[in-house]
């Protein structure tokens, strides 16, 4: 008999949770990606006008990378309180922080009005964006994973992941419309502010929806167990059993310590799994704007339209990959995506070098579909690695700490390689190296499909002390 927390939820309730997570993550990623697109297109002119175009772009991407540096800090803070107070409360806070910072960027004076202080303020707001996003991802995917059942967890948990392409799609669409209807002068003068100010309206919609969902039933059950443990730990001041319970209570008070003590291997696996996924995504969606417009002199609208259409295909592909991970397992789908993105690295740039819209569209679309094979099972995969009372911390730390080495410098490194070598070969090799790291990390991981999230060993329980931390999957996986 399944436990109440692991029993299949009412379809209407699960759909409401999925919708709330999807809309919330879409808004957060819209805000985050909008900055990346603006950094590639106009921020060099607005905030770093004294530099030559390529150096100005590098400086703009440097402020872009700062947001990634803040993401691990957000993961630590939001993970800690999300494991203690619940997923829902922290998700509301992250949405408000992200939306407020993005709206403020739309009101920000430029270098012409404020001098170098404008770039400083831009960097501070980018830090706030990164901090908020560091806490958003873990909470959103866990809220869905912990509401759903194991049989279709990969499919349902992949829907918050579609928030990334949906946010990219929305940000690129708004920029594409503005660049199409406004002159270059008007867009640089005031048009770039419109998408940032639009975030204020989107946040109100997301907040209304996010407040309507219930807290995770798995978390509520784990919280009740934790309260019982703390009571038992306080009562038992002597004996091995009492000491063990007291240690468990202490670990639950500091989820970060419990993660590092009992789940360090899982954190490393999650970090390695993110390398190819993170690096390839920002090369395909952010660096491609620089490569196409500044290296090949392609029309900006051509590249934006290619990313726009490809993002729509990416959105549709992610739930398909998520469903396949329920059928085939998380590892096979993830490994397929990592191998595919490595093999696609050189053809990606060869197609773009043709300067044909159809070829550029094919390059970006295939790249994002292969990326989806990694990104779709990631939510369920990371959720299934960690015990409930440290899951927010573990999943967030594993996902966001890797972003400092992967997504943060990816456009910066790619742009620097382009400037130094004058071609795409080093960038392709960079993506291939990331793919090899991910293949290694996921290859040594155990299959997690069908794990009962409620039964994964809590810190201090016997299976954790033995180092497994998991319930064996059906069939001995």
């Amino acid at each position: 008999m399944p436990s109440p927390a692991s029993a299949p939820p009412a379809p209407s309730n699960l759909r409401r949770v999925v919708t709330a997570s999807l809309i919330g993550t879409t808004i957060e990623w819209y805000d985050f990606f909008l900055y990346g697109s603006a950094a590639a297109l106009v921020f060099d002119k607005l905030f770093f006008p004294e530099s030559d175009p390529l150096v100005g772009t590098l400086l703009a991407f440097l402020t872009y990378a700062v947001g990634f540096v803040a993401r691990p800090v957000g993961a630590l803070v939001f993970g800690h309180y999300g494991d203690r107070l619940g997923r829902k409360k922290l998700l509301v806070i992250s949405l408000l922080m992200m939306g407020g910072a993005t709206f403020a960027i739309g009101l920000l004076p430029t270098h012409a009005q404020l001098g170098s202080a404008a770039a400083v303020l831009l960097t501070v707001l980018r830090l706030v964006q990164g901090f908020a996003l560091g806490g958003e991802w873990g909470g959103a995917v866990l809220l869905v994973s912990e509401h759903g059942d194991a049989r279709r967890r990969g499919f349902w948990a992949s829907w918050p992941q579609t928030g990334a392409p949906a946010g990219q799609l929305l940000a690129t669409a708004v920029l594409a419309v503005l660049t199409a209807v406004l002159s270059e002068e008007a867009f640089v003068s005031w048009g770039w502010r419109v998408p940032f100010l639009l975030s204020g309206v989107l946040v109100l919609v997301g907040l209304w929806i996010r407040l309507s969902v219930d807290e995770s039933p798995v978390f509520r059950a784990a919280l009740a167990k934790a309260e019982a443990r703390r009571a038992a730990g306080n009562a038992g001041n002597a004996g091995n059993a009492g000491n063990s319970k007291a240690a468990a209570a202490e670990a639950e008070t500091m989820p970060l310590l419990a993660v590092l003590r009992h789940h360090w291997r899982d954190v490393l696996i999650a970090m390695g799994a993110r390398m190819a996924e993170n690096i390839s995504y920002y090369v395909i969606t952010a660096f491609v704007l620089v490569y196409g417009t500044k290296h090949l002199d392609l029309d900006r609208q051509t590249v934006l339209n290619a990313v726009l259409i490809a993002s729509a295909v990416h959105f549709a592909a992610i739930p398909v990959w998520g469903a396949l991970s329920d059928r085939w397992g998380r590892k096979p789908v993830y490994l397929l995506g990592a191998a595919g993105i490595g093999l696609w690295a050189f053809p990606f740039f060869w197609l773009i070098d043709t300067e044909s819209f159809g070829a550029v569209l094919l390059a970006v679309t295939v790249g994002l579909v292969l990326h989806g094979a990694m990104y779709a099972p990631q939510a369920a995969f990371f959720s299934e690695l960690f015990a409930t009372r440290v899951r927010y911390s573990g999943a967030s730390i594993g996902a966001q700490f890797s972003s400092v080495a992967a997504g943060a410098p990816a456009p910066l490194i790619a742009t620097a390689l382009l400037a130094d070598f004058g071609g795409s070969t080093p960038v392709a090799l960079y993506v291939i190296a990331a793919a090899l790291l991910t293949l290694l990390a996921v290859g040594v991981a155990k299959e997690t499909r069908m794990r009962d999230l409620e039964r994964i060993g809590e810190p201090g329980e016997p299976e954790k002390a033995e180092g497994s931390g998991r319930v064996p999957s059906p069939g001995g996986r």
Side-chain angles (χ1 to χ4, degrees):
M1 290 289 291
S3 64
S6 60
S12 59
N13 183 52
L14 180 57
R15 283 194 293 268
R16 186 168 66 251
V17 172
V18 170
T19 300
S21 292
L22 170 58
I23 291 177
T25 53
T26 297
I27 295 169
E28 298 247 12
W29 283 114
Y30 165 83
D31 292 345
F32 202 75
F33 288 141
L34 181 61
Y35 188 102
S37 297
L41 297 173
V42 296
F43 278 2
D44 56 333
K45 304 180 185 71
L46 296 170
F47 295 96
F48 309 99
E50 297 172 357
S51 305
D52 66 66
L54 199 55
V55 173
T57 301
L58 280 169
L59 292 172
F61 274 141
L62 188 58
T63 62
Y64 173 76
V66 162
F68 286 85
V69 175
R71 282 166 67 171
V73 181
L76 290 173
V77 174
F78 279 84
H80 174 79
Y81 288 103
D83 281 327
R84 296 185 65 187
L85 305 177
R87 291 41 168 141
K88 178 179 172 179
K89 295 182 180 70
L90 275 297
L91 285 173
V92 170
I93 295 172
S94 72
L95 184 63
L96 290 173
M97 289 184 67
M98 175 68 85
T102 305
F103 187 82
I105 291 175
L107 301 175
L108 198 63
T110 64
H111 184 277
Q113 298 162 314
L114 202 61
S116 299
V120 174
L121 291 174
L122 180 68
T123 303
V124 170
L125 292 173
R126 182 60 174 172
L127 282 168
V128 176
Q129 280 190 325
F131 182 82
L133 191 62
E136 164 69 22
W137 181 85
V141 299
L142 294 189
L143 198 62
V144 175
S145 294
E146 293 177 345
H147 268 87
D149 63 293
R151 187 174 59 87
R152 301 192 69 195
R153 185 181 299 131
F155 172 73
W156 289 117
S158 71
W159 279 101
Q161 300 291 76
T162 65
Q168 179 76 62
L169 182 65
L170 186 59
T172 306
V174 172
L175 285 172
V177 170
L178 288 172
T179 56
V181 302
L182 296 177
S183 66
E184 177 78 15
E185 293 76 17
F187 182 76
V188 173
S189 175
W190 60 269
W192 68 273
R193 297 182 183 275
V194 174
F196 288 92
L197 297 175
L198 179 62
S199 176
V201 178
L202 297 176
V203 166
L204 292 178
V205 174
L207 189 62
W208 175 67
I209 295 173
R210 187 158 275 183
L211 286 170
S212 69
V213 301
D214 298 326
E215 181 56 83
S216 154
V218 173
F219 174 80
R220 289 200 303 266
L223 187 62
K225 287 173 61 179
E227 293 295 338
R229 280 182 182 163
R230 274 192 285 271
N234 292 334
N237 295 320
N240 292 333
N243 292 336
S244 174
K245 290 175 181 177
E250 181 182 356
E252 287 160 349
T253 303
M254 292 295 293
L256 172 61
L257 297 180
V259 167
L260 297 179
R261 181 183 303 169
H262 302 289
H263 287 282
W264 62 268
R265 182 177 180 273
D266 297 320
V267 169
L268 291 178
I269 287 172
M271 291 176 68
R274 285 273 284 172
M275 295 303 290
E277 178 269 307
N278 221 216
I279 288 172
S280 66
Y281 189 80
Y282 291 105
V283 168
I284 293 169
T285 60
F287 172 71
V288 72
L289 296 174
V290 177
Y291 187 79
T293 60
K294 291 183 169 59
H295 181 67
L296 299 177
D297 291 326
L298 284 171
D299 179 66
R300 179 168 54 193
Q301 197 68 35
T302 297
V303 185
L304 281 173
N305 287 342
V307 174
L308 183 68
I309 297 170
S311 294
V313 177
H314 192 209
F315 179 92
I318 287 176
V320 176
W321 287 119
L324 288 174
S325 79
D326 287 326
R327 181 181 294 269
W328 298 345
R330 315 298 182 220
K331 280 184 63 174
V333 175
Y334 212 116
L335 290 170
L336 175 64
I341 209 70
L343 293 172
W344 189 245
F346 277 109
F348 174 79
F349 287 107
W350 293 340
L351 287 168
I352 293 175
D353 287 341
T354 66
E355 302 185 27
S356 162
F357 174 73
V360 173
L361 177 60
L362 178 62
V364 178
T365 301
V366 173
L368 287 181
V369 169
L370 291 170
H371 170 270
M374 294 180 283
Y375 199 54
Q378 189 179 98
F381 180 38
F382 288 9
S383 299
E384 291 158 351
L385 289 174
F386 301 97
T388 301
R389 291 291 287 151
V390 297
R391 187 170 291 133
Y392 203 143
S393 295
S396 296
I397 291 169
Q400 303 306 335
F401 269 68
S402 60
S403 69
V404 176
L412 189 64
I413 290 173
T415 303
L417 289 172
L418 178 63
D420 289 344
F421 294 93
S424 61
T425 298
V427 183
L429 292 174
Y430 171 49
V431 174
I432 290 171
L436 292 174
L437 282 173
T438 292
L439 287 170
L440 176 63
V442 178
V444 301
K446 295 182 179 179
E447 179 57 61
T448 62
R449 182 171 66 98
M450 297 302 294
R451 283 182 181 167
D452 186 340
L453 295 184
E454 195 177 2
R455 293 177 61 204
I456 297 174
E458 296 284 351
E461 289 186 350
E463 64 265 35
K464 287 306 299 177
E466 294 167 8
S468 66
R470 335 184 147 75
V471 175
S473 302
R477 281 190 298 272

